[in-house]
Amino acid sequence: MKYLIIFIVFMSFFSCQQKKEDSDYSIQQTNQLAIEDGQSGKKLVETHCYVCHNPTIPDSLGRIAPPMVAIKARYLMNYTTKEEFVTHIVQFVENPTEENAIMYGAVNRFKVMPKQVFPEGVVEKIASYMFDYQIEEPSWFKKHWESNGQGRRKGKGEWVQPGKKLVVAEKPKTYEEIGLEYALGTKAVLGKNLMGAIQSKGTMHALEFCNSQAIPLTDSMSTHYNAKIKRVSDKNRNPNNKANAEELNYIAQFKADAVAKRESKPVVIEKGNQVQFYYPIQTNTMCLQCHGKQIKQDVLQQILKLYPKDLAVGYNENEVRGIWSITFEKN
């Protein structure tokens, strides 16, 4: 009987210890999944939003849209639950119009964002990340928000951004991350200048900008990153942007992703001491002014004047118009 009692006590202790270990493991798993979700959300914001909403671009360099933290703060004023917050951001992105906008000052200053089609579920993940985590904010934003901005009351009290802090361990960048940095950095420079040209003088001026400045700006970013950066297409406008056989293969691959509404993954190929990187260039509403199926007659005439052998027309939204083809040295 004595041995039976000892055995029962031992088994009870072992069971408790096992439950505690299982609980600790479950908590670790939950925390790890939360970190991975946060890192995934952060990457999606940087990939899909920072071309226009980059928090590091100051007014002096010609910001073309409010930083993402301003969008978060404004939507939280109206929608305090995660479900409401995510739903209304998704609704606006799906149909960006003045009637659907709640950021009136931003619309007055920057105009309504061009309609874009994102891969399935991406906008929901971005909005969820914005709600759950503290996202990057410019140094001037706190003061701007607290002073009510542009003479209109936007918030009261001291600004403290809601959400968890995402702690990302410092580690060497992968070749995929380096290639994305080069592609998105170049895209941001081109996009900022193109949007500025459209907003200041219209589509015809933007067309002239692309003709004279797109390749020089891309070349300047090649120098900046110490890499060879090209934008190439199977339906090129500029002869210098014609894709080669290998590039055509990856254009076809990215087109298949777009049709299936899959999130395209960058292609990284190691070749000796170099890395070859490919990533898609997709159309949005703004692109269609010069690359769509219904181009204004005066714009079309100017295109043919500047590019007599132009092939880069006939696109719809969210189609692959070409790819980034970037070559850089290994670390």
Side-chain angles (χ1 to χ4, degrees):
M1 183 70 179
K2 182 176 73 172
Y3 293 112
L4 178 61
I5 293 172
I6 293 172
F7 177 75
I8 292 172
V9 170
F10 173 78
M11 290 303 296
S12 298
F13 175 77
F14 178 80
S15 176
C16 290
Q17 286 294 105
Q18 187 64 44
K19 286 180 180 177
K20 182 179 183 302
E21 289 176 7
D22 289 347
S23 175
D24 289 345
Y25 179 71
S26 177
I27 291 171
Q28 290 174 2
Q29 276 192 314
T30 301
N31 290 341
Q32 183 60 35
L33 287 173
I35 291 170
E36 289 174 1
D37 283 347
Q39 291 173 338
S40 173
K42 182 176 186 293
K43 185 175 181 180
L44 288 174
V45 169
E46 293 170 350
T47 302
H48 293 284
C49 306
Y50 276 13
V51 172
C52 297
H53 299 278
N54 195 317
T56 64
I57 295 178
D59 283 341
S60 59
L61 292 181
R63 266 191 309 118
I64 58 174
M68 293 301 289
V69 71
I71 297 169
K72 173 178 179 175
R74 182 63 185 87
Y75 271 80
L76 282 174
M77 287 180 63
N78 288 29
Y79 313 111
T80 55
T81 70
K82 182 175 181 178
E83 183 180 0
E84 290 179 318
F85 181 88
V86 172
T87 296
H88 284 86
I89 285 183
V90 170
Q91 286 177 351
F92 178 76
V93 172
E94 288 178 347
N95 187 25
T97 64
E98 283 196 44
E99 293 73 25
N100 291 338
I102 65 171
M103 300 184 68
Y104 312 113
V107 170
N108 288 336
R109 178 176 177 184
F110 303 113
K111 311 301 181 189
V112 178
M113 68 175 281
K115 179 176 172 57
Q116 301 179 68
V117 180
F118 294 89
E120 200 76 39
V122 163
V123 179
E124 288 88 343
K125 290 177 182 177
I126 288 172
S128 294
Y129 166 71
M130 290 169 63
F131 187 91
D132 288 338
Y133 289 90
Q134 293 183 9
I135 61 177
E136 191 176 357
E137 61 181 82
S139 58
W140 51 263
F141 181 74
K142 176 180 169 67
K143 183 177 180 181
H144 167 78
W145 186 262
E146 292 176 358
S147 64
N148 298 328
Q150 300 180 8
R152 192 166 61 80
R153 184 171 174 271
K154 292 184 178 177
K156 55 186 178 181
E158 184 178 358
W159 164 254
V160 179
Q161 186 184 163
K164 299 173 286 188
K165 288 187 177 180
L166 179 63
V167 179
V168 180
E170 287 293 327
K171 57 183 180 180
K173 290 181 180 178
T174 65
Y175 291 138
E176 177 181 317
E177 290 170 335
I178 292 171
L180 268 177
E181 178 187 344
Y182 295 173
L184 298 179
T186 307
K187 182 180 177 182
V189 169
L190 291 172
K192 175 177 71 69
N193 283 276
L194 181 59
M195 282 288 288
I198 290 174
Q199 290 174 355
S200 64
K201 296 182 181 178
T203 306
M204 292 289 281
H205 179 63
L207 186 58
E208 292 168 6
F209 159 80
C210 284
N211 178 252
S212 62
Q213 296 299 318
I215 288 182
L217 275 175
T218 303
D219 289 344
S220 72
M221 296 304 290
S222 293
T223 301
H224 175 73
Y225 288 125
N226 191 29
K228 184 178 180 180
I229 302 175
K230 299 188 298 175
R231 296 178 307 142
V232 298
S233 177
D234 56 332
K235 293 171 61 177
N236 53 289
R237 175 155 287 172
N238 189 317
N240 294 324
N241 297 130
K242 184 177 181 179
N244 62 32
E246 182 173 301
E247 292 162 345
L248 287 171
N249 179 53
Y250 290 110
I251 289 173
Q253 177 179 313
F254 291 133
K255 283 185 175 182
D257 288 340
V259 170
K261 295 186 177 180
R262 291 191 298 261
E263 178 77 6
S264 288
K265 302 296 183 184
V267 173
V268 176
I269 304 169
E270 297 184 37
K271 298 180 177 181
N273 294 325
Q274 293 186 321
V275 175
Q276 181 63 49
F277 174 90
Y278 297 118
Y279 193 65
I281 299 170
Q282 292 179 290
T283 55
N284 57 36
T285 304
M286 183 178 68
C287 302
L288 302 188
Q289 296 178 45
C290 297
H291 295 281
K293 292 183 176 180
Q294 296 180 328
I295 302 171
K296 291 182 179 179
Q297 191 60 35
D298 58 339
V299 175
L300 188 58
Q301 288 176 350
Q302 184 67 5
I303 290 172
L304 293 175
K305 179 180 176 182
L306 295 172
Y307 307 97
K309 297 183 179 180
D310 175 56
L311 301 173
V313 294
Y315 289 99
N316 296 310
E317 291 175 355
N318 198 39
E319 290 187 342
V320 173
R321 192 173 68 79
I323 58 173
W324 295 97
S325 178
I326 302 175
T327 309
F328 55 91
E329 298 293 324
K330 287 186 176 179
N331 295 333

